[in-house]
Amino acid sequence: PLFPADPGLFTAGGNGQGGAAALNADGSAHGEAKPAAEGGVVVLFGTGLGRLERSGPSGGTASEAVRVAAEVRCLVDGKPAEVLYAGVAPGLLEAVNQVNVRWP
């Protein structure tokens, strides 16, 4: 069966286990050694967020930010985090999604 979305986050180790592949607002790797400040922005990377608001060329590098059409929600330790952006990751392959969240 096909689903409108089947999201998954990339992991820092690239093996599907452990912490998420994420960056803090200053561009540093997010993790236990460098956590986000309360209210700070964290950028998560993954795939499978679903249809985009508008289509464009397919199969290449994303040249601009295009949001996904569906609402994206994020929980951090069970607390809702404000999703500032969810869509393609500019500069990466179009299949890579980026989610910017304000850390609760």
Side-chain angles (χ1 to χ4, degrees), residues 13-71:
N15 62 0
Q17 298 180 13
L23 299 175
N24 291 314
D26 65 2
S28 64
H30 174 79
E32 289 184 25
K34 182 97 179 191
E38 183 178 323
V41 175
V42 174
V43 181
L44 304 167
F45 296 95
T47 192
L49 292 183
R51 186 175 59 82
L52 300 174
E53 285 183 341
R54 62 179 172 77
S55 62
S58 177
T61 301
S63 60
E64 63 180 314
V66 179
R67 292 179 178 273
V68 294
E71 176 187 12

Side-chain angles (χ1 to χ4, degrees), residues 74-102:
C74 179
L75 297 176
V76 176
D77 289 332
K79 299 175 191 167
E82 178 187 6
V83 175
L84 304 170
Y85 171 78
V88 298
L92 300 178
L93 292 176
E94 290 175 347
V96 177
N97 295 142
Q98 173 179 326
V99 180
N100 301 352
V101 298
R102 185 169 315 282

Side-chain angles (χ1 to χ4, degrees), residues 1-7 48-51:
L2 296 175
F3 297 96
D6 191 15
L49 292 183
R51 186 175 59 82

